[in-house]
Amino acid sequence: MNTHLRATALGFALVVAACQRTPPTASPRPPADVVAAVSADLAEYDPSLASVDKWPDGAVQTLDISPDGIADWLIDFEPFGFPAWCGTGGCRRQLWVSHDGRHVLAFDAQALEFSLRTAAVPPVIDVELHGVHCNGTGADPCPRAYSWNAKTGRLDEAVNRAGGTLLQGPLFQPVPVDEAALPSPVAVA
């Protein structure tokens, strides 16, 4: 085969390969404890979503925030399409982290952005919240960052991508807090 014919055949093969589409991959399937908790939430709005097989692609993502070698799970509620889960503060996101043989809910809030900084040790979650969580208005920046604390089984605030921390009121809680379960304040003598 002459050189010109080989080059033409190779060019044709490359064009055909570039035009072929790869079908999107389905979302990974979370473990039973995460599925049960999220399905119960979803079933309140649409009973058909109680089955994980009905969850839309893009709603589930694996990541590694805990250093135990077991997948952690991010549930993004935007693909489900319920208006109550998205607004000016972004869309609801739940982060389930493996801890002591199960998964614990470490983050459950609306966020404009949610990303994992894996180059940091330990890995850091960067979130951008509605400005009201930083004493501002909706359009004001409100970057927060968290790292997993395996000893306490919860997220600790970390240095955010702007180089600061925002331990100021009102303090944003990454999961709802049961105030009745909090210890009573320490009395000052």
Side-chain angles (χ1 to χ4, degrees):
M1 186 183 267
N2 70 29
T3 309
H4 179 69
L5 189 54
R6 269 189 241 155
T8 302
L10 177 61
F12 180 72
L14 291 172
V15 168
V16 169
C19 291
Q20 291 179 338
R21 291 183 182 226
T22 312
T25 57
S27 295
R29 188 181 188 106
D33 58 345
V34 175
V35 169
V38 175
S39 292
D41 235 358
L42 293 170
E44 290 182 29
Y45 294 90
D46 184 349
S48 73
L49 293 174
S51 168
V52 69
D53 297 324
K54 302 282 185 182
W55 294 6
D57 288 341
V60 178
Q61 177 184 343
T62 59
L63 45 84
D64 190 15
I65 188 71
S66 62
D68 60 4
I70 300 170
D72 304 313
W73 297 87
L74 178 64
I75 309 298
D76 183 350
F77 284 73
E78 182 175 14
F80 291 101
F82 295 119
W85 287 331
C86 294
T88 59
C91 290
R92 183 179 181 194
R93 302 223 171 73
Q94 286 185 344
L95 175 63
W96 294 86
V97 180
S98 60
H99 182 68
D100 289 340
R102 61 189 177 93
H103 288 83
V104 297
L105 183 59
F107 187 94
D108 186 8
Q110 286 183 321
L112 294 162
E113 295 176 22
F114 194 105
S115 61
L116 181 64
R117 236 187 305 155
T118 56
V121 177
V124 172
I125 297 167
D126 285 308
V127 295
E128 182 69 34
L129 302 172
H130 193 282
V132 298
H133 295 296
C134 293
N135 291 328
T137 63
D140 291 332
C142 187
R144 298 289 175 116
Y146 301 95
S147 61
W148 179 250
N149 183 329
K151 289 181 183 176
T152 62
R154 58 183 298 149
L155 295 173
D156 288 339
E157 185 144 10
V159 175
N160 64 36
R161 65 181 176 274
T165 57
L166 296 170
L167 291 176
Q168 60 188 17
L171 290 178
F172 173 77
Q173 299 297 318
V175 291
V177 176
D178 178 8
E179 292 184 21
L182 295 175
S184 57
V186 177
V188 178

